[in-house]
Each structure stands twice: as structure tokens, then as C-alpha cells.
Amino acid sequence: MTQTQSSALYGPVAEDLILVEDLLESVKRVELAPLRLMLDHALAPRGKRLRPALVLLAGSFGDYNLNRLVPLGTAIELLHTASLVHDDVVDGAESRRGRPTANAVFDNALTVLLGDFMFANAAEMVTRTGSLPVTRLFALALMKMTSGELDQDAAAFDVARDVQHYLWRIGGKTAALFGHASQGGALLAQCTEGQVEALRSYGYNLGMAFQIVDDILDFTGDEAEMGKPAGGDLIEGTITLPALFYLDSAPRENPVRRFLSADGEREGYLPDALAAVVESDAIGRAQGMAQEFVDRALEGLSALEASDARHTLEELSGYVLTRRS
């Protein structure tokens, strides 16, 4: 993301996100050359830095102390990146966003250790906030993310799982970290109890919408923009909201069920499965649910005073709904 794009998206905190980038760069300064090489690879994609931006934006509603907010934002981005590193090992993924994964470049054992090192760095950074409640939030976020990922793997190809189960899973895997980012920023800024809850609710519901849109894009996204072909979730056996909505309304014998229940080679069934979901009303229903979560996020913001930070958070909800990658 360019500085101009960041300014447009993150408004009053865009320039301060550079401090998060600087602190992330410092993680690479290790003596062990192989580790330095792996960190360079894992941290090279700058991404959108949405989670640290939420920390800073939430902190704008109180005592905006960058000496405390920047380490938390960096810790949360490191936690997110480390979880992706481990996910790629578990999934056997060879690319992410058009780049080779760490486990594709290095072997799996080294990549697991790389993720462990990043988790440890994240934990050390969050202690720099000097806040025990925020450190506890960070630990809870990691536990929820791990539970969500374990559940996703346990539920692979299981067509018996329903929408409520899916929402529980993404609440832990994705939304919890968004919620803890905005809640943690508010706590560090010594916001009122009402402000902290409003910002936690905003972050959590935004995270739910973010993941639903991500799952929609796995069916409808452009490969060049996404950096991966469509259908990656189905190939891994992850039954996301669009597929669940389709299965709920389709006849028992349908292309998605045939794909998921196929023995051995499944790829031949994939085009029909993807087309069936895209051509049904499942995408529209999933988009409608994403909108519901955005509406809940905005409802939380209604308790906060008008400011540039609140306006930016409102605009971010629109970005999450309309993003293409």
C-alpha cells in the first residue's frame, strides 16, 4: 500500500503507522543469518496494516500515547503474520497473495520455528505497553485464533456443519483479533468503559464482515488481484458461508456436495462446484450477512463523539464491504 492510499484509508493515524513499520523492521535485526533471511521473507509483504490501524484509531479517543499504542499495533500485526506462517505449514500452501510461502522456500520444520519466533516477539512487544489487561487480551486472542484454526481443520469436508458453527469459527479465527485491536487501543488510551465497549464491538463486528467478504472473494475474486486462484477454501475442505448457504437451499445431489464427498482426486469437480455457488443466491445472501455485521459495527460507533477518527472508522466499514483483495 502506498503512502497516499494509506492516508486515504486511515486518515489521522496514517503517518503514525510508519512507526509500526519501523518496529516491524527491527524484528529482522537478528544475529542468526538463516533466521534473518526467513524473517525478511515473512515480513516483506507490507499488507494493509488494518489491525494496527485499528489500535491507533481506537487510541485516538483518549490519551494518544504512541509509546504504548505502537508496540501493541506491531504485536498484533506480528501475531497475525505468524499465524499465517503456521497456517501455510498446516495447509501445505505453496503461495500466498502471489508469493511463495515461507514453507515453500524453507522446509516445514524451520518454518514452524520461524512462526514460533514471531509469536515470541509479539508477546515481548505487547509487554512494552505496561498494561496487564492488554497483555491478557493478547493471550486470549491467540487462544481464540488457535481454537478457530483447529476447528477449521477438524471440520474439513464435513457438510454437517451449519452457519452458526461457521460464525463461531470465524469469530475466533478472525474477528477476535480485530476486536482485541480496537479494545486494546481504547484501554491503553484510558478511554471510558462505554468507549472501550463501543470500540470492541466495532472491531469484532468489522472482523466478522471482513472474513465473510474474504470467503465471498474466494468464489468471485479476480485471480490477478487476489494472488490466488478461486476455490482455495473448497480445495482445502473449508466450507465457508457462500457454500453453506448454497448447500442449505440446493437439492441433496449437487455439485458442491459431489466435490466435497469425492474420493481421491477432486479437482475435476471444482469448476462445477464454484459455478453452482456463484450462479445461486448464496453470494447475495452472504453479502447481506456481511452488511449486517457492518451495521452492528456502525451501531457501536454511534456511542462515540464525532471526530476524524470516528469518520475514518465509518469509512473503513465501507472499504471492508467493497474491497477486491
Side-chain angles (χ1 to χ4, degrees), residues 1 9-10 17 46-50 53 77 319 323 325:
M1 178 184 290
L9 198 54
Y10 300 133
L17 278 172
R46 291 179 60 126
K48 295 182 176 64
R49 306 301 192 224
L50 180 54
E77 187 68 10
Y319 160 75
R323 67 193 179 91
S325 65

Side-chain angles (χ1 to χ4, degrees), residues 93-249:
E94 295 187 356
S95 67
R96 179 177 287 276
R97 302 296 183 190
R99 296 181 70 254
T101 57
N103 52 293
V105 177
F106 315 102
D107 68 42
N108 279 352
L110 287 176
T111 305
V112 170
L113 293 174
L114 167 65
D116 291 345
F117 182 85
M118 293 167 70
F119 280 127
N121 258 271
E124 188 279 327
M125 279 188 188
V126 81
T127 64
R128 300 185 198 182
T129 66
S131 170
L132 185 58
V134 168
T135 302
R136 182 172 181 272
L137 273 182
F138 181 84
L140 288 172
L142 178 53
M143 287 191 287
K144 289 176 182 176
M145 290 170 66
T146 304
S147 297
E149 186 62 35
L150 283 168
D151 180 76
Q152 177 173 298
D153 292 337
F157 299 101
D158 185 355
V159 295
R161 304 300 174 108
D162 59 15
V163 170
Q164 285 306 118
H165 177 264
Y166 164 83
L167 294 176
W168 177 86
R169 169 162 49 85
I170 69 170
K173 185 183 175 188
T174 302
L177 194 56
F178 278 73
H180 289 325
S182 53
Q183 183 181 6
L187 285 171
L188 289 180
Q190 301 174 42
C191 290
T192 66
E193 189 174 325
Q195 288 174 316
V196 171
E197 174 53 27
L199 288 160
R200 183 210 64 78
S201 175
Y202 170 85
Y204 179 84
N205 286 297
L206 188 76
M208 294 292 285
F210 184 93
Q211 185 59 57
I212 291 171
V213 170
D214 215 50
D215 294 339
I216 292 170
L217 288 172
D218 191 61
F219 286 93
T220 65
D222 180 82
E223 182 174 349
E225 290 182 277
M226 294 290 291
K228 61 177 182 178
D233 289 333
L234 273 183
I235 290 170
E236 293 167 9
T238 303
I239 307 174
T240 58
L241 191 61
L244 285 169
F245 277 147
Y246 172 79
L247 289 169
D248 182 54
S249 59

Side-chain angles (χ1 to χ4, degrees), residues 273-309:
L274 292 176
V277 174
V278 172
E279 292 167 9
S280 72
D281 67 350
I283 298 298
R285 291 174 67 189
Q287 289 169 334
M289 184 166 282
Q291 180 67 64
E292 288 176 20
F293 279 109
V294 161
D295 291 342
R296 293 181 198 176
L298 293 174
E299 186 179 330
L301 290 184
S302 66
L304 302 173
E305 65 274 16
S307 66
D308 287 345

Side-chain angles (χ1 to χ4, degrees), residues 79-89 96 101 103 119 145:
L79 172 58
H80 168 62
T81 306
S83 71
L84 296 180
V85 167
H86 276 181
D87 288 355
D88 288 338
V89 173
R96 179 177 287 276
T101 57
N103 52 293
F119 280 127
M145 290 170 66

